[in-house]
Amino acid sequence: MRWPSRLLVILALCLVSVALPAAPAQAAGPVITLSPSSGVPGDEVTVYGYNFTTNTGVDVYYYLDTTNTTDRERIEVETDDDGYFTVTFEVPESYKGTHEVSAYIDTNLQATKNFTVKPGLTISPTNGPVGTNVTVTGHGFAENETGIKLSYYLNSTYSSQMPGNTTANATGSWDWTFPIPPSTKGNHRIDAQGASSSLLLVRD
């Protein structure tokens, strides 16, 4: 007759273990995690640090260029009494692919994690009548990517390709301004495609 009580205890323990936060379990040294681990330049990323020296200043670096260790941006933070820290930064303009995020105390590397940059588009303004000049900005495309073409969907089926093409800069960014052609009322898709990147944006 004691079995039901024992089963309830086991079930309660399982539920407690599921509810625990997903922090690194007893890591041997300092560890950082990123949330999210991928995104578009302009997105916010939170860095969580564990097992660091307590009450100590930490420099968190985001590397803009994987081949140039001095081309980076720094975020300063301090650990708490438990050697934990959390800091949020905005992903700077940087080309698509893997970028290292590293944590240093003084000049000593403590931990690293990779962040993956993906292409993204923004548009300004986001609505207006036919003939409105809009600027589409590409972020996170390939470094110096060429042959980027832009297409505007006149309706859900047919698109109109803008004349010419553009090239991304060293950080994978570019701008393109054009007047909205005659098209139906409502949302319209914008497609950007280059030599190695492609992306679709829905315009309000």
Side-chain angles (χ1 to χ4, degrees):
M1 296 297 294
R2 295 181 180 178
W3 287 2
S5 298
R6 184 181 178 189
L7 289 174
L8 287 174
V9 171
I10 294 173
L11 178 59
L13 289 174
C14 290
L15 290 174
V16 169
S17 65
V18 170
L20 291 176
Q26 300 299 319
V31 175
I32 60 172
T33 61
L34 308 178
S35 179
S37 59
S38 64
V40 177
D43 287 350
E44 288 193 340
V45 178
T46 301
V47 183
Y48 300 93
Y50 307 88
N51 305 320
F52 281 72
T53 304
T54 60
N55 304 308
T56 301
V58 177
D59 291 324
V60 176
Y61 291 97
Y62 174 89
Y63 286 84
L64 300 166
D65 190 337
T66 56
T67 63
N68 183 357
T69 57
T70 61
D71 193 5
R72 59 189 185 179
E73 293 201 0
R74 183 178 71 170
I75 309 98
E76 299 179 67
V77 67
E78 186 167 321
T79 61
D80 62 14
D81 293 339
D82 298 316
Y84 171 84
F85 73 81
T86 177
V87 65
T88 298
F89 70 93
E90 185 177 289
V91 179
E93 292 296 332
S94 41
Y95 54 78
K96 78 171 186 176
T98 301
H99 293 260
E100 186 178 289
V101 178
S102 298
Y104 281 80
I105 293 179
D106 295 325
T107 58
N108 299 312
L109 176 63
Q110 304 294 306
T112 64
K113 209 71 175 179
N114 287 333
F115 181 82
T116 302
V117 171
K118 303 184 295 185
L121 298 177
T122 56
I123 185 171
S124 179
T126 58
N127 56 71
V130 168
T132 299
N133 281 324
V134 299
T135 298
V136 177
T137 303
H139 312 269
F141 278 64
E143 181 181 12
N144 300 316
E145 183 170 356
T146 60
I148 299 172
K149 299 179 180 180
L150 204 64
S151 295
Y152 173 85
Y153 280 74
L154 303 173
N155 52 41
S156 59
T157 305
Y158 299 102
S159 65
S160 174
Q161 183 173 307
M162 301 297 105
N165 56 67
T166 190
T167 299
N169 61 21
T171 62
S173 303
W174 52 268
D175 291 311
W176 193 320
T177 300
F178 67 96
I180 296 298
S183 47
T184 59
K185 178 182 178 181
N187 294 341
H188 291 265
R189 300 185 300 175
I190 294 176
D191 177 63
Q193 185 166 356
S196 61
S197 304
S198 62
L199 197 67
L200 193 68
L201 172 72
V202 176
R203 175 180 176 270
D204 293 330

